[in-house]
Amino acid sequence: MNLNPFWSMSTNTGRKRSDCEEQSGEQQQQRASPARPSFGKKQLPSIPKNAVPITKPASPAATAQLANGTHASYGPFYLEYSLLAEFTLVIKQKLPGIYVQPSYKSALMWFGVIFIRHGLYQDGVFKFTVYIPDNYPDGECPRVVFDIPVFHPLVDPVSGELDVRRAFTKWSSVPHGLFLQLDSDTALRNHNHIWQVLMYARTVFYKINTMEPLNPEAAVLYDKDVQLFKSKVIDSVKLCNSHLFDQPKMDDPYAISFSSWNPAIHDEAKERMFSHKRRPEDHHKGLQVSGLSWVKPGSTQPFSKDDNPPLS
Amino acid sequence: MSWLSRLTPRGPGGRSSRNVASSSPCTADPETCLMVFENHWRQLSWVLEQQEPSGCSDDLTAVRNHTDQMLCLLAEERPGEVGEGPPGTLTSGNVPPVGPILGLVVTENVLERVVQWHLRRGLDPDSQGALLKLFEMLIGQSQQPLLQHKAVLQPLLGLLGACAEPQLGCPPSLENSLVLLLNQICVSMARAPAVLELLFRSAPAQHGPTNLLIFSLLVPFIHRDGAIGQQARDALLLVMATSASNQGVARYIAENSYFCPVLATGLSALYSSLPRKIEVRGDDWHALRREDWMGVSSLVLFMNSLEFCNAVIQVAHPLVRSQLVDYVHNGFLVPVMGPALHKSSVDEMIASTAYLDLFLRSVTETALLKTFLRFILMHRHDNDTILDTLLTRVSSNSRLCMVSLSLFRTLLSLNCEDLMLQLVLRYLLPCTHVMLSQRRAVRDTDLYGKSADKFLSLIPECCRLSVLPSAEREEEPAFWGKVLNSPSSESPVHPKPSTPSRLALFMRQQSTALPFTPSPTETVPSSPRGGPSTPLSPDSPMHPVPEGLDWESGYLEYLRDARRGVELCSWACRNWSAPYDGEDPSPNTAPLPPPPPTSNPSLAMFPEHFSFQQGGGGGGGGSTSPGQQRAAVVAAARSEWSSTERDRGEWDVTIGKNNCTISLTPRTKKRSLQREEVPLPKPLHLPPDSTSASVPDPSAAPHLPSGPSIDPHQAIFNGTSSGSQVDGCPDSRDGGMEVKKVKRDLDEQQQHGDSSQNVAVGASPTPVPTPAQSCGPLQGLHREGNGSVTGENSRRLTSHVQSHTQDQPAPWTPASCANSSNVNLTPQVSGSGPPEAMLSTQSEAVERLISELLDGAGPGEGGQQGPGDSNGQGISIEAFTQELRELEERVRERSRGVGLLRQLEETTRDPDSEEPLPPSPLDADLTGTGAGVEPKAVGLFSPSRPLGQPSAQPYTGPFMVVLFAKLENMLQNSLYVNILLTGILCQLACYPQPLLRSFLLNTNMVFQPSVKSLIQVLGSVKNRIEVFAASHEDFPGMLRKAQRYLVARGKVDWADSSPMGVPTLRRSDSLVKSRKPSLGDLIMRHTNSPTRARHAAQLALAHVRDGGQSLHSALFRGGTGGGASGLEKQVEALRVKNAVYCAVIFSEFLKELAALAQEHAVSMPFLQSHDTEE
């Protein structure tokens, strides 16, 4: 029941890998994408050579800023940076088995894929898209739509949309009790965040909830006939996995697409992935950024470390 | 390894032209050569075997001729009997077969016999020199390795041993040859490290303890000037590198040689010859750049030695490294640098601070850097750390402030945890500055741009010129979806459709290099890699389109800048011991930081540091009170302007609104854009009865906000008036900025000046002199003595050096120093002057000695040139006479100064001026406007700090306090202070540690009421700017002009930035550099030739500076009439100028802060480096 080891997922950037998944059979590869030698960076991806930037009108948020006159020109920066910050938080959370990638065309649309490691949906690989309302962060909670409607009580059998709203009844309010703060580093007391939505999308496959289902059939089966439910799930997983290599639903340079393992491409990319050390963008050697420290951990006294620091 | 790589071209190959010996039939085939050689040898050996070496010159000539010929043949011989291809020359390891001539030399022991013959005969300098040259030629040019052969090595060592012998020695005329030979030996040795072992082993039998002869011969030349010094240092460095893995040699160097002490304490001697006063070229000068010091020979000398230290530490064995580092600390930093930083005169403070800054920028080795930092952070000079002292200087109101800020910028750029801990973090660690409920918010980032928005909203309305067009222009950047393309996406390939980078302010535009180009469409590279330029809004004056365009856009540039700053900083901090996020280290276990100076008089910010000089040897047996010393500073400052510049025409007069400074600046200098401000520290609020040592000295710390307020006077002030002045910043400095006030200030100033003078002269009750103080001068003297002696050592290592230098690792107790210095100094002192017991005389003698030594060290051998430019003032000694002289001077200057002030006052007196001001300083303070700023600052920072209970209040540390106080006073600061100041705050805001980040950038954070937040300070500055703008009709015009001027000026700043990372008055100089490669290359390419470099710089920048200058003066010239009206206009003009520049800088600063807040939210932490180390 393992994943096909020859699968590979290719996406351009913005990947975070959780520690636990490295041992699993998935082989993710970074396609040698144009001009993106590094990944795992915080910044949004750059535009491939051949792609033409699509200019959209400023978002409502920005226009609102414009309307009230002051520092109008900064409005777009706020939206972009909020989304960038959300994306950074996602990376920092290291959500197991979840990968997202903002689309090229709009920062408000993120492509994602989720790997289910165990449980009823084990070995499922579900692609999805996150739609963020353009009045973010003041709007409703983001929508999560699976490319192929997974057989699941909370997934709409037609549209593939996951019922997210139930978990975030009031977006930007106090987080749902379901979600513990994994990493208090992000200090999320007062706001919901997109990583929580992703977390929720994952949890749904491990803890089945049949209340007020979007797919009543699945809910009923789960409650009444688990065996049948299970077999339906297996069918659904198979179906999803069989479409894994399909062209991405969206025509977007940053859409996540899978291809079979090609050593010529993927071996090298894999190598790079594991050996990559992130450095500042324009860090060059001569720079005096040695990060000097002689403080012994746990101490707050300067020069408390022993005299033979492993520094340089 | 730059040093080492530099050495390689100096290999033997390049030397062949210098063939010493006459031409010889060396092109012949090997057999012929051998025959010729044998022939020579037969004749030579006949001469050598003469039993009694007559003084016959015929013999000598014969021997020389033969030797020349033979050695030449030997040098030309190729290894291996058969001439099989190009011989593998000196590949160590596989020893090529020995050539026949060399074989003969070995078997017959030719060289040994020749040398012995010379030695028996008595070596006259002539033959000594000839032998040195011969050996040098031989070793340098030989085609086969020679030093491995005992038959070569032994005679060589014999010759060198002769050079080391005291009775023979090496005459100065032969020093060049000697060093050259040694250099050659070291080069060969570096190629064949086994030779080192041979050298090390083979000598002891003959030469006792100095068994690494080449080494001990080289050491005296370490600090030499010119080529000889360089060769010696190169050679030593080769020894160091070769011996890096040789424990025995390393131990020998560390334990049996004087290398480390000579090197380190030589720095002291060299330091003492540095100019005490730095001749300042421009109003913006604040740090020593390479081109500044390349022309100063004493500084070049010092820097050579310092760089050498650095290089040694880089390559040497750990044993040597750690010893050298210790010596640098105990033999240079503590005894010399420490007192130098505490000199009493402002000039010397400026100089020493600038030197320290330069040194820090030059040192690259971690171990050496650590020593410097440890010195700055931990060493206590008297009671205060060097850091404390430096902090107090920031609050001064002069170039001293700029130099100090520059030093702090250098320090901050090191990203050193220990430093940041001491400077800021330890005060924030307990988290007492935030409300308890807010502690968790410490880690919040500006996720939704709220803080950024807040910062941007503080841009004064009056500075938002023509917002409308800029909003239209925003459509231009390609939005990424609704979102801008990532500012720092790094693909160099595709055109980056970013916002046109029109940050004209800090000259981010190449096009503005010609500020007055009529070109209507200037372009600018939108990316460092020179992507396609976007059309720029016209920036030239010829183009009458709204200029505000440039100022509202360009935010992307700030984001890019901020990203880079945050990223580099967090990368640099990745190895810190803790995240400093409010939990780790735990606020509860964090040791309480030192309380504010209020409760700790020893930390009192400014007054104290003048008293340091007591330790450094200033005070005569503790008889100088702080008051006196303060007065000395006043006098020094006064004498500066009154004596040097007084009679020279026009003056710029700045009278701080805050009643703290008067700057009189001559208008005669053409070059400076804004005149050099000569600070006139003015004792201000010093009540006549305040004599305690902890009374803040307003003359020195004019804007000192957190000044020690134990002073009852200040406390009263806080209590009474803080209420009205805490927040709203009731800007009474509106239109009513009249001469009347100026006059009033003057009046007060004079009075206060008088009172403080009285205090000072009247020898106020001194605090109990500490032991350090009482033995200060003595100690200082002896330190100096040591320095000088080592200076002498470095010239010729004499036997008493050891006894002397071995004291050095030990603490510099007066006793031990006294011993050593007496021992060593006596001969010289008595030689150069009557051996009086007077300390002063002796110290002067020491001084003179040092300078003589150093002068003599030059190749020119200008022996007895007296104190010269480094004239009689002791570097760390100020003896009684000096003290007395200063006292007298002070009194004289005081009267002169007062007279001048009176004059000034009269000229500025308004016809309608009212009654004289109340004499009481207290009243003066409370009367408001004139004295407003400083007290207000005090009030702001300690509004509710009552007299008795100081430490209960959270305290964010002196650094933050002084920076905020300076910032609050932005409107009055000079342009350059503001640029430096905001730059430092931005640097601080780059740090990713949540404690610091939240303190500076989280505008939603709720602090304890007594803690001033950055946003509050900025708010008050904003108000002041708006009030100012409202009172000046032509403000928009002036603002535009100021912006344009800054653009022009930015070019200069940028171009000045040098590859050493020398600071410019630019914040993001690196960014600038990356964006402007061409002009920088133009200049920097010439760095090898200092004069050419300077010339190029002048050529390249002359027009810019001139342009800027003329524009600038046209803008802000306040009228040129003489007399009263002229003066007052100038005062007003300066005030306006500062304010307008401030408005420009302020707006840009806010954008920077906003960008930083945003970038922090999207930055990713870096992994620690021990698992990711390259």
Side-chain angles (χ1 to χ4, degrees):
Chain A
M1 275 308 279
N2 269 326
L3 283 168
N4 182 344
F6 294 106
W7 284 352
S8 72
M9 185 184 81
S10 97
T11 176
N12 288 338
T13 181
R15 104 161 4 134
K16 56 272 146 259
R17 40 187 318 121
S18 64
D19 299 336
C20 58
E21 84 197 356
E22 280 165 20
Q23 287 76 29
S24 69
E26 306 145 17
Q27 315 260 333
Q28 292 120 29
Q29 278 316 314
Q30 186 184 35
R31 184 172 58 199
S33 70
R36 294 293 301 174
S38 61
F39 53 87
K41 296 222 170 179
K42 65 194 178 187
Q43 82 271 9
L44 295 177
S46 61
I47 301 166
K49 256 184 276 188
N50 49 359
V52 181
I54 295 172
T55 305
K56 282 194 191 174
S59 71
T63 6
Q65 294 275 1
L66 280 167
N68 71 26
T70 58
H71 33 279
S73 46
Y74 307 115
F77 293 104
Y78 297 154
L79 178 62
E80 171 174 7
Y81 270 77
S82 292
L83 292 168
L84 260 177
E86 287 284 1
F87 187 65
T88 308
L89 284 182
V90 170
I91 294 175
K92 284 180 181 165
Q93 294 303 322
K94 296 189 164 101
L95 303 175
I98 299 182
Y99 302 86
V100 284
Q101 164 69 57
S103 84
Y104 167 66
K105 289 171 182 163
S106 166
L108 295 171
M109 182 166 71
W110 296 8
F111 304 115
V113 62
I114 182 169
F115 293 86
I116 305 299
R117 305 271 165 67
H118 51 84
L120 292 174
Y121 290 84
Q122 182 169 352
D123 295 336
V125 182
F126 308 126
K127 290 203 271 187
F128 62 90
T129 308
V130 181
Y131 296 94
I132 300 154
D134 54 8
N135 53 350
Y136 170 88
D138 301 320
E140 309 221 299
C141 69
R143 295 161 57 220
V144 173
V145 180
F146 289 99
D147 285 12
I148 300 169
V150 191
F151 184 74
H152 189 284
L154 301 186
V155 176
D156 187 303
V158 180
S159 68
E161 176 159 7
L162 173 71
D163 185 359
V164 177
R165 230 159 293 175
R166 69 165 58 210
F168 300 91
T169 44
K170 200 171 160 236
W171 183 251
S172 283
S173 70
V174 179
H176 196 277
L178 175 64
F179 305 106
L180 297 174
Q181 292 191 4
L182 293 187
D183 181 355
S184 56
D185 177 48
T186 48
L188 308 162
R189 290 168 319 287
N190 298 318
H191 295 285
N192 289 124
H193 292 284
I194 295 174
W195 71 266
Q196 294 167 318
V197 174
L198 300 175
M199 190 66 188
Y200 169 75
R202 178 180 178 274
T203 314
V204 150
F205 292 103
Y206 294 101
K207 258 179 83 175
I208 312 290
N209 184 349
T210 55
M211 298 281 284
E212 300 175 38
L214 290 184
N215 184 345
E217 183 201 354
V220 169
L221 274 185
Y222 183 77
D223 288 338
K224 302 278 161 60
D225 186 352
V226 185
Q227 286 313 316
L228 185 53
F229 178 82
K230 277 184 182 168
S231 70
K232 286 230 172 204
V233 165
I234 289 172
D235 290 345
S236 176
V237 165
K238 276 182 181 155
L239 179 72
C240 289
N241 291 358
S242 69
H243 285 91
L244 210 54
F245 294 95
D246 291 358
Q247 279 303 303
K249 227 170 58 177
M250 304 276 181
D251 180 24
D252 188 290
Y254 292 166
I256 294 175
S257 71
F258 283 73
S259 64
S260 46
W261 184 268
N262 178 353
I265 302 170
H266 298 122
D267 278 346
E268 188 208 338
K270 180 181 172 186
E271 181 65 28
R272 263 191 297 147
M273 239 166 89
F274 281 98
S275 62
H276 175 75
K277 306 279 185 285
R278 193 168 84 94
R279 294 186 159 261
E281 273 171 32
D282 42 2
H283 167 70
H284 39 274
K285 288 271 171 184
L287 220 55
Q288 180 69 261
V289 278
S290 35
L292 304 170
S293 168
W294 296 278
V295 180
K296 196 168 90 184
S299 161
T300 54
Q301 291 305 309
F303 302 107
S304 48
K305 210 190 241 173
D306 290 340
D307 219 10
N308 296 318
L311 274 164
S312 74
Chain B
M1 296 293 277
S2 59
W3 266 72
L4 287 179
S5 57
R6 237 172 51 207
L7 302 186
T8 34
R10 224 176 284 179
R15 316 267 316 288
S16 44
S17 60
R18 278 184 55 263
N19 200 333
V20 208
S22 58
S23 65
S24 54
C26 47
T27 42
D29 67 297
E31 290 190 18
T32 320
C33 287
L34 181 60
M35 281 170 58
V36 175
F37 185 87
E38 284 170 334
N39 190 25
H40 279 299
W41 173 233
R42 260 193 304 279
Q43 301 177 42
L44 176 58
S45 58
W46 185 81
V47 180
L48 296 184
E49 279 156 13
Q50 300 291 312
Q51 273 315 312
E52 61 277 6
S54 62
C56 171
S57 60
D58 287 351
D59 283 356
L60 184 58
T61 317
V63 168
R64 269 209 210 159
N65 282 340
H66 289 305
T67 321
D68 281 356
Q69 301 293 330
M70 288 166 62
L71 293 196
C72 220
L73 286 166
L74 176 57
E76 302 275 330
E77 188 189 44
R78 315 206 154 222
E81 9 243 16
V82 207
E84 38 182 61
T89 50
L90 298 182
T91 46
S92 61
N94 64 333
V95 183
V98 168
I101 297 180
L102 178 57
L104 190 65
V105 168
V106 170
T107 49
E108 297 277 325
N109 216 0
V110 174
L111 293 171
E112 178 72 18
R113 287 168 67 186
V114 171
V115 170
Q116 285 308 323
W117 181 82
H118 276 286
L119 291 179
R120 268 202 318 277
R121 193 176 166 276
L123 201 55
D124 60 301
D126 200 30
S127 4
Q128 191 183 2
L131 279 175
L132 288 173
K133 282 186 176 143
L134 264 184
F135 269 103
E136 187 259 317
M137 181 275 297
L138 190 59
I139 292 164
Q141 296 180 20
S142 169
Q143 309 283 323
Q144 46 193 341
L146 294 178
L147 292 174
Q148 282 90 332
H149 300 284
K150 213 171 162 64
V152 179
L153 197 62
Q154 283 303 339
L156 177 61
L157 289 172
L159 175 65
L160 293 176
C163 293
E165 270 169 36
Q167 61 267 38
L168 180 63
C170 180
S173 56
L174 295 184
E175 282 178 344
N176 279 323
S177 305
L178 175 63
V179 170
L180 207 53
L181 170 60
L182 292 168
N183 187 291
Q184 280 306 323
I185 296 173
C186 291
V187 169
S188 311
M189 184 191 67
R191 297 219 179 97
V195 173
L196 175 68
E197 195 68 21
L198 279 176
L199 283 168
F200 189 54
R201 287 278 154 74
S202 59
Q206 294 172 337
H207 299 287
T210 60
N211 55 2
L212 194 49
L213 199 51
I214 50 165
F215 194 76
S216 40
L217 279 172
L218 278 169
V219 166
F221 296 94
I222 288 181
H223 299 292
R224 279 298 176 83
D225 199 358
I228 184 174
Q230 197 57 46
Q231 280 165 0
R233 288 189 290 269
D234 289 351
L236 281 167
L237 206 58
L238 286 171
V239 179
M240 289 296 153
T242 316
S243 68
S245 52
N246 188 324
Q247 177 80 13
V249 177
R251 174 154 291 149
Y252 164 78
I253 293 173
E255 292 171 5
N256 295 31
S257 87
Y258 315 122
F259 177 74
C260 292
V262 165
L263 184 49
T265 53
L267 289 178
S268 299
L270 292 175
Y271 185 92
S272 69
S273 70
L274 298 185
R276 311 284 192 281
K277 176 182 178 182
I278 295 178
E279 291 298 332
V280 183
R281 331 169 287 176
D283 51 345
D284 59 340
W285 181 89
H286 61 287
L288 284 165
R289 291 177 289 216
R290 193 172 193 92
E291 58 266 32
D292 286 336
W293 60 264
M294 284 310 277
V296 184
S297 59
S298 56
L299 201 44
V300 170
L301 211 51
F302 185 94
M303 292 305 288
N304 282 342
S305 290
L306 184 64
E307 278 169 21
F308 179 60
C309 270
N310 193 60
V312 167
I313 287 170
Q314 189 176 35
V315 300
H317 189 275
L319 213 58
V320 178
R321 184 192 313 163
S322 70
Q323 196 195 30
L324 179 56
V325 162
D326 284 349
Y327 271 111
V328 168
H329 188 267
N330 295 325
F332 167 59
L333 291 176
V334 169
V336 172
M337 208 61 218
L341 285 168
H342 291 87
K343 299 297 283 185
S344 58
S345 95
V346 174
D347 273 338
E348 287 176 271
M349 286 190 237
I350 290 172
S352 54
T353 311
Y355 291 146
L356 183 59
D357 182 27
L358 174 65
F359 303 160
L360 280 169
R361 278 184 278 120
S362 309
V363 167
T364 59
E365 276 308 293
T366 310
L368 194 53
L369 212 47
K370 179 184 179 184
T371 299
F372 271 85
L373 288 171
R374 189 202 282 274
F375 165 71
I376 292 171
L377 298 184
M378 309 300 277
H379 174 64
R380 287 185 178 273
H381 192 92
D382 287 359
N383 271 328
D384 291 353
T385 62
I386 302 289
L387 188 67
D388 295 332
T389 306
L390 294 172
L391 278 172
T392 61
R393 308 256 168 92
V394 174
S395 58
S396 70
N397 209 8
S398 62
R399 197 180 298 281
L400 182 57
C401 164
M402 286 168 63
V403 171
S404 303
L405 284 176
S406 171
L407 175 62
F408 275 106
R409 179 170 63 179
T410 300
L411 287 171
L412 289 181
S413 70
L414 297 175
N415 298 303
C416 170
E417 179 176 10
D418 308 61
L419 175 87
M420 291 303 290
L421 194 57
Q422 292 299 91
L423 211 49
V424 189
L425 289 172
R426 63 173 163 166
Y427 300 98
L428 304 178
L429 268 180
C431 276
T432 49
H433 63 289
V434 286
M435 292 295 202
L436 200 58
S437 60
Q438 291 275 306
R439 284 205 186 166
R440 290 201 55 199
V442 160
R443 276 164 299 162
D444 284 357
T445 53
D446 188 21
L447 218 48
Y448 303 113
K450 297 272 187 284
S451 292
D453 195 48
K454 178 74 179 160
F455 282 123
L456 292 171
S457 74
L458 286 179
I459 296 178
E461 208 52 53
C462 52
C463 299
R464 302 171 193 273
L465 300 176
S466 50
V467 180
L468 194 75
S470 87
E472 284 165 9
R473 298 183 65 89
E474 283 305 328
E475 75 195 57
E476 187 183 297
F479 278 78
W480 176 49
K482 297 170 174 146
V483 168
L484 285 169
N485 181 30
S486 161
S488 65
S489 59
E490 59 195 339
S491 153
V493 195
H494 67 84
K496 206 176 309 176
S498 64
T499 319
S501 52
R502 274 165 287 148
L503 255 207
L505 168 57
F506 294 128
M507 45 57 44
R508 300 178 191 212
Q509 317 180 23
Q510 182 124 39
S511 52
T512 49
L514 307 168
F516 299 114
T517 322
S519 134
T521 52
E522 298 175 292
T523 56
V524 66
S526 63
S527 85
R529 289 102 176 176
S533 319
T534 29
L536 254 198
S537 86
D539 190 52
S540 85
M542 308 293 282
H543 213 270
V545 176
E547 292 142 323
L549 287 182
D550 294 342
W551 300 88
E552 282 299 322
S553 54
Y555 187 61
L556 257 185
E557 292 296 323
Y558 282 125
L559 286 171
R560 193 196 307 266
D561 237 13
R563 162 159 309 181
R564 189 175 178 282
V566 169
E567 208 164 60
L568 283 180
C569 189
S570 57
W571 189 77
C573 297
R574 70 198 185 284
N575 285 338
W576 282 25
S577 73
Y580 296 95
D581 57 0
E583 284 183 5
D584 177 17
S586 158
N588 305 320
T589 60
L592 272 184
T598 342
S599 59
N600 184 356
S602 77
L603 267 182
M605 294 191 65
F606 217 77
E608 288 298 314
H609 87 266
F610 287 111
S611 63
F612 289 153
Q613 61 150 354
Q614 291 178 339
S623 74
T624 30
S625 71
Q628 272 178 304
Q629 304 188 358
R630 247 175 278 137
V633 174
V634 175
R638 281 189 187 159
S639 68
E640 183 179 3
W641 62 260
S642 56
S643 60
T644 60
E645 311 279 19
R646 203 174 156 196
D647 312 321
R648 293 219 249 125
E650 289 181 274
W651 288 84
D652 274 348
V653 182
T654 323
I655 300 194
K657 292 298 293 72
N658 46 12
N659 202 3
C660 290
T661 12
I662 290 193
S663 298
L664 293 186
T665 10
R667 279 218 174 266
T668 45
K669 283 193 209 155
K670 287 246 167 63
R671 265 190 309 160
S672 53
L673 299 175
Q674 189 185 22
R675 263 65 197 197
E676 164 185 1
E677 285 192 359
V678 182
L680 180 62
K682 183 167 67 73
L684 183 46
H685 314 102
L686 196 62
D689 58 336
S690 64
T691 52
S692 132
S694 66
V695 171
D697 183 355
S699 72
H703 303 302
L704 190 60
S706 70
S709 43
I710 211 173
D711 172 18
H713 155 54
Q714 283 207 345
I716 289 170
F717 174 78
N718 286 342
T720 52
S721 65
S722 62
S724 69
Q725 299 192 337
V726 165
D727 252 339
C729 160
D731 240 313
S732 39
R733 80 196 72 259
D734 42 6
M737 241 21 255
E738 267 97 78
V739 191
K740 180 170 55 176
K741 303 233 170 71
V742 169
K743 186 222 68 178
R744 189 179 289 187
D745 291 356
L746 282 173
D747 207 351
E748 288 166 20
Q749 187 229 348
Q750 180 198 330
Q751 283 153 354
H752 300 317
D754 282 346
S755 68
S756 90
Q757 293 290 346
N758 289 340
V759 171
V761 176
S764 55
T766 32
V768 184
T770 66
Q773 281 170 336
S774 48
C775 73
L778 194 64
Q779 210 169 350
L781 171 65
H782 292 311
R783 283 170 188 160
E784 192 61 23
N786 273 333
S788 75
V789 169
T790 17
E792 195 246 72
N793 289 347
S794 66
R795 188 160 173 240
R796 174 158 311 149
L797 200 60
T798 47
S799 56
H800 63 243
V801 175
Q802 193 172 7
S803 72
H804 158 58
T805 48
Q806 281 180 348
D807 288 337
Q808 289 176 350
W812 292 70
T813 63
S816 68
C817 294
N819 288 339
S820 56
S821 70
N822 283 341
V823 167
N824 294 313
L825 281 175
T826 327
Q828 282 85 7
V829 169
S830 57
S832 61
E836 293 159 6
M838 280 290 292
L839 282 178
S840 61
T841 319
Q842 197 175 355
S843 74
E844 275 170 20
V846 169
E847 264 299 308
R848 209 174 315 135
L849 179 65
I850 290 169
S851 49
E852 273 173 23
L853 286 171
L854 292 168
D855 288 343
E861 199 61 28
Q864 70 283 46
Q865 191 215 339
D869 47 5
S870 63
N871 54 22
Q873 307 179 19
I875 175 78
S876 63
I877 324 161
E878 246 140 82
F880 289 132
T881 49
Q882 179 72 15
E883 189 72 13
L884 269 174
R885 205 150 23 95
E886 277 179 11
L887 264 171
E888 289 166 8
E889 183 86 14
R890 191 165 69 227
V891 173
R892 228 182 12 251
E893 288 305 327
R894 182 174 70 98
S895 47
R896 217 190 299 170
V898 167
L900 199 104
L901 286 173
R902 222 163 250 152
Q903 204 182 330
L904 200 62
E905 178 198 350
E906 275 158 20
T907 56
T908 53
R909 188 184 295 274
D910 247 10
D912 57 342
S913 71
E914 312 97 336
E915 71 289 331
L917 286 157
S920 152
L922 179 58
D923 290 351
D925 284 353
L926 294 178
T927 43
T929 68
V933 169
E934 187 211 353
K936 185 182 299 161
V938 172
L940 284 169
F941 283 91
S942 53
S944 55
R945 196 183 297 155
L947 198 56
Q949 31 181 320
S951 59
Q953 294 293 343
Y955 174 54
T956 53
F959 190 50
M960 282 304 177
V961 163
V962 79
L963 287 182
F964 281 8
K966 262 307 202 217
L967 189 65
E968 181 128 38
N969 201 31
M970 232 183 137
L971 209 62
Q972 281 81 38
N973 291 344
S974 81
L975 166 66
Y976 308 110
V977 166
N978 279 337
I979 290 180
L980 279 168
L981 181 67
T982 52
I984 282 187
L985 282 162
C986 282
Q987 245 181 319
L988 280 170
C990 285
Y991 277 85
Q993 286 71 28
L995 274 177
L996 185 52
R997 188 188 63 205
S998 64
F999 178 62
L1000 291 174
L1001 293 178
N1002 189 339
T1003 55
N1004 300 318
M1005 199 84 156
V1006 184
F1007 295 126
Q1008 297 285 353
S1010 64
V1011 173
K1012 190 86 175 173
S1013 72
L1014 179 59
I1015 202 79
Q1016 279 173 288
V1017 175
L1018 293 172
S1020 104
V1021 175
K1022 172 189 191 252
N1023 288 339
R1024 294 184 199 186
I1025 290 175
E1026 284 178 344
V1027 168
F1028 176 87
S1031 68
H1032 287 77
E1033 282 176 24
D1034 52 343
F1035 181 81
M1038 289 193 293
L1039 191 71
R1040 266 193 295 271
K1041 287 172 183 169
Q1043 290 169 348
R1044 214 180 294 144
Y1045 165 68
L1046 285 173
V1047 171
R1049 192 196 154 71
K1051 299 303 299 175
V1052 182
D1053 277 341
W1054 164 74
D1056 280 354
S1057 66
S1058 94
M1060 282 184 64
V1062 170
T1064 63
L1065 260 176
R1066 279 262 24 246
R1067 268 81 81 55
S1068 26
D1069 35 28
S1070 41
L1071 172 87
V1072 168
K1073 236 178 290 166
S1074 70
R1075 202 159 302 171
K1076 306 274 168 19
S1078 56
L1079 190 49
D1081 284 354
L1082 172 70
I1083 293 161
M1084 292 322 154
R1085 227 174 274 138
H1086 299 301
T1087 38
N1088 292 334
S1089 154
T1091 44
R1092 272 180 67 202
R1094 218 172 312 138
H1095 188 57
Q1098 279 162 4
L1099 275 183
L1101 304 172
H1103 65 285
V1104 181
R1105 214 184 258 281
D1106 288 350
Q1109 165 70 29
S1110 56
L1111 170 68
H1112 179 74
S1113 43
L1115 285 183
F1116 294 116
R1117 201 58 170 267
T1120 47
S1125 65
L1127 196 58
E1128 95 199 22
K1129 272 187 191 161
Q1130 285 174 24
V1131 171
E1132 174 67 9
L1134 267 180
R1135 202 177 60 80
V1136 168
K1137 185 175 70 179
N1138 281 346
V1140 172
Y1141 280 139
C1142 166
V1144 178
I1145 300 288
F1146 182 69
S1147 309
E1148 302 304 305
F1149 179 46
L1150 288 170
K1151 291 182 200 166
E1152 284 186 292
L1153 290 174
L1156 281 166
Q1158 292 201 284
E1159 285 296 339
H1160 273 298
V1162 298
S1163 83
M1164 283 288 293
F1166 287 89
L1167 294 173
Q1168 287 227 329
S1169 74
H1170 29 81
D1171 29 77
T1172 62
E1173 200 56 83
E1174 45 257 70

